[in-house]
Amino acid sequence: MIKLSVFYIILGMNIIGCSKNGAREDSIQGPDIERPSDVGNKPNGIPFSNMLGVNGFDWEYTNNTNAFDDRKFELIKTFTGFRQYLDWDRIEEKEGFYRFSYDEIYKKNQENGITTLACLQIIPQWFREKYYAGEYNVSDRYNSLRDYTPVPKGADKSNPRSYIDMGKLGFQMAARYGNNPSIDPKLIKAVTWGDARDTKIGLGTLKYIECSNEPDKDWRGPEAQQTPEEYAAQLSAFYDGHMGTLGEGVGVKTADPSMNVVMAGIAFPDPKWVEKMIEWCKKNRVKDGQYTLCFDVINYHEYSAKRSGEYWNNPDLNANHGMAPELSNVGKVATNFRKVSEEKAGGLEVWVTECGFDVNERSIQRALPIKNKTTFDSQADWTLRTSLLYARKGIDRVFFYMLNDVNINSDIQYASSGLIEGNERRPSADFLLQAKNLIGEYVYSGTINDDPLVDIYTLGQNKIYVLTVPDQKGREEKYTLDLPGIKGVKIHTPRKGHDSMLSADQALANGKLEVLVTETPTFVEVLN
């Protein structure tokens, strides 16, 4: 029961908070498709497999006795990335005493090509009791103050020193799971379950670590919300102990300079938020006349949706629902984040660590049933097309929300976004796995047509065209691929309940191929 309680409470933040994302998308604007020459629609060298991550929790790897569950892991292996929601006090139960139980999970992920992103969030119980004793309610262990900014009560949120406790947490995580074996063991504060010292150092199984989740949230009150400048101060402490000024044993980079610090995914995807963080670094992280950033990856959240008015109180389900990704603003937002990265942040990677669609028929984030397709079918189409869109826009990694439902029977947004159910994949996970198996190592190379969309993916001399009608009404279009000198192709179509797509060879007449394109992507592999 404890696990389930934590599960629901943790997701409360996402369910309430991320709902705000759709507020800027007032109506369908028409296909958000830029020409191949525009920013984002150009070869980028990013393997398509990077678009296939998922969000979840560490207990989704284990059975009732907390032993690693190989059957569950087989489902997780569908994906190429795992963003782990990790509550601070699941590591630091008591101040200064750290226990780690993720060694096997991180190692298994690494061995199976799954990139782990540990997202540290939620101030721990001891922190609440120590700094917020007058407000802390012991009977409300999991919810009281949980989303507060990680500073002592009354502390200056714009001062990196106020975040020293989280900086120490970052150091201990990086010391254990990073790649630096030369850390002074005296700085290691980890203990075993018997409180004996646990001095594992430099296991080399974690490359990315995220500092908090959605610091721009405005639905938990001012104590939980930060400005970009305040969050940059937190990141600076977490990143390298504010350039080493906070003492030894503080900061991720202090422990392992090679570990990548991912800024917290922001709930309101505004590139100006990142620009303000960069400006803070220019003023406050200057050494020897040069400034440094306190993050290695730009990160934001966005859910493709149609929103109308005060949608959280609007009973009209036709006014509020999920939307096919090409019809919303998500592509334009991705382009704008890439511009900020290239023009102001030295080309840092840009990640989208939350996106997805519900299947509950009353959720305002639901995928739509379309003609003979169910909501589950549309979730599959739109999820795969989201991956294709972000590959087209040059986003470096994507993590879908999420592995399992919170509650499929709940109409609260994001409660039914799961990609698996029980011991089986949903069609959405089937489609991602099939795309991984077919084009996982391929890279996006260009778009030659807007509607239907015709993308090109290449791997060396190999080429696959991906054709999609960017709509949400069951539209079909015929398109002729001009393939001079090519005598045959293999056509691949996603299908439910399988590890691989339905494939069929087809000969070409005069180097031309007419394809009936639908809202489910079709993959045409050129046979050399």
Side-chain angles (χ1 to χ4, degrees), residues 288-439:
D288 298 328
Q290 301 290 325
Y291 79 90
T292 55
L293 298 179
C294 51
F295 51 100
D296 302 307
V297 177
I298 296 169
N299 180 16
Y300 71 95
H301 298 164
E302 183 154 35
Y303 292 79
S304 179
K306 176 186 179 183
R307 299 286 186 256
S308 178
E310 294 185 353
Y311 56 87
W312 50 90
N313 292 321
N314 191 337
D316 182 6
L317 286 175
N318 292 322
N320 299 288
H321 50 74
M323 182 187 293
E326 305 90 350
L327 301 183
S328 72
N329 291 331
V330 297
K332 293 177 182 177
V333 171
T335 295
N336 290 337
F337 270 97
R338 278 251 50 100
K339 285 182 178 179
V340 168
S341 171
E342 294 167 9
E343 295 174 4
K344 299 188 177 183
L348 290 185
E349 290 192 4
V350 179
W351 293 10
V352 177
T353 55
E354 285 188 23
C355 57
F357 304 95
D358 286 341
V359 295
N360 183 284
E361 63 183 10
R362 295 193 60 80
S363 167
I364 62 172
Q365 188 53 34
R366 71 194 183 282
L368 300 175
I370 301 171
K371 291 188 176 179
N372 63 337
K373 290 185 177 181
T374 67
T375 298
F376 292 89
D377 296 329
S378 292
Q379 184 197 40
D381 283 349
W382 294 2
T383 298
L384 176 55
R385 284 160 54 182
T386 297
S387 290
L388 293 166
L389 182 147
Y390 281 132
R392 192 180 306 122
K393 297 298 181 180
I395 295 299
D396 293 275
R397 283 191 186 274
V398 176
F399 295 79
F400 286 95
Y401 190 86
M402 58 182 306
L403 185 64
N404 285 287
D405 293 328
V406 180
N407 180 4
I408 192 174
N409 296 314
S410 172
D411 62 2
I412 297 175
Q413 61 270 32
Y414 317 118
S416 59
S417 294
L419 300 180
I420 67 171
E421 188 171 349
N423 295 317
E424 296 183 357
R425 300 187 303 261
R426 281 184 177 157
S428 51
D430 288 335
F431 282 19
L432 294 186
L433 175 63
Q434 292 164 21
K436 181 181 76 170
N437 290 340
L438 181 63
I439 64 167

Side-chain angles (χ1 to χ4, degrees), residues 14-83:
N14 296 300
I15 290 169
I16 297 172
C18 294
S19 65
K20 302 293 196 300
N21 287 356
R24 297 175 186 79
E25 295 152 3
D26 297 322
S27 62
I28 297 178
Q29 303 295 325
D32 174 29
I33 302 166
E34 301 178 24
R35 299 300 186 270
S37 59
D38 290 336
V39 171
N41 293 62
K42 57 187 178 182
N44 50 50
I46 303 167
F48 181 74
S49 60
N50 280 20
M51 307 297 113
L52 307 175
V54 71
N55 285 268
F57 299 87
D58 50 89
W59 57 74
E60 292 173 293
Y61 285 78
T62 58
N63 60 25
N64 292 334
T65 64
N66 288 325
F68 193 89
D69 190 321
D70 289 315
R71 185 176 181 181
K72 286 185 175 181
F73 189 53
E74 282 302 312
L75 292 172
I76 293 172
K77 284 162 63 176
T78 298
F79 309 97
T80 59
F82 191 90
R83 181 175 181 247

Side-chain angles (χ1 to χ4, degrees), residues 128-166:
R128 304 173 217 175
E129 292 174 338
K130 179 177 180 179
Y131 296 120
Y132 295 90
E135 300 175 51
Y136 180 70
N137 180 357
V138 69
S139 65
D140 190 17
R141 177 180 178 187
Y142 293 111
N143 197 34
S144 179
L145 319 177
R146 61 188 303 278
D147 288 330
Y148 274 25
T149 300
V151 298
K153 185 175 179 62
D156 182 0
K157 291 201 290 187
S158 65
N159 186 344
R161 185 165 292 277
S162 300
Y163 302 92
I164 193 169
D165 289 308
M166 197 163 194

Side-chain angles (χ1 to χ4, degrees), residues 438-439 441-443 445 456-465 524-528:
L438 181 63
I439 64 167
E441 298 307 310
Y442 282 66
V443 299
S445 297
I456 303 174
Y457 282 79
T458 57
L459 179 62
Q461 299 300 311
N462 299 318
K463 182 180 293 185
I464 293 180
Y465 294 85
V524 178
E525 180 181 5
V526 176
L527 301 178
N528 295 319

Side-chain angles (χ1 to χ4, degrees), residues 39 64 99 103 120 160 190 230 272 275 279 282 365 374 471 483 495 498-499 503:
V39 171
N64 292 334
R99 288 193 178 95
D103 297 7
L120 296 168
E230 289 168 348
K272 291 181 180 178
E275 292 181 28
E279 290 303 312
K282 289 181 177 180
Q365 188 53 34
T374 67
D471 214 333
L483 303 172
R495 53 180 174 167
H498 294 271
D499 295 347
S503 301

Side-chain angles (χ1 to χ4, degrees), residues 145-195:
L145 319 177
R146 61 188 303 278
D147 288 330
Y148 274 25
T149 300
V151 298
K153 185 175 179 62
D156 182 0
K157 291 201 290 187
S158 65
N159 186 344
R161 185 165 292 277
S162 300
Y163 302 92
I164 193 169
D165 289 308
M166 197 163 194
K168 292 177 180 178
L169 174 68
F171 178 91
Q172 295 297 323
M173 281 284 290
R176 187 179 189 89
Y177 295 117
N179 286 299
N180 181 14
S182 302
I183 298 169
D184 184 350
K186 294 179 181 178
L187 297 176
I188 303 303
K189 306 299 182 182
V191 296
T192 65
W193 295 106
D195 284 354

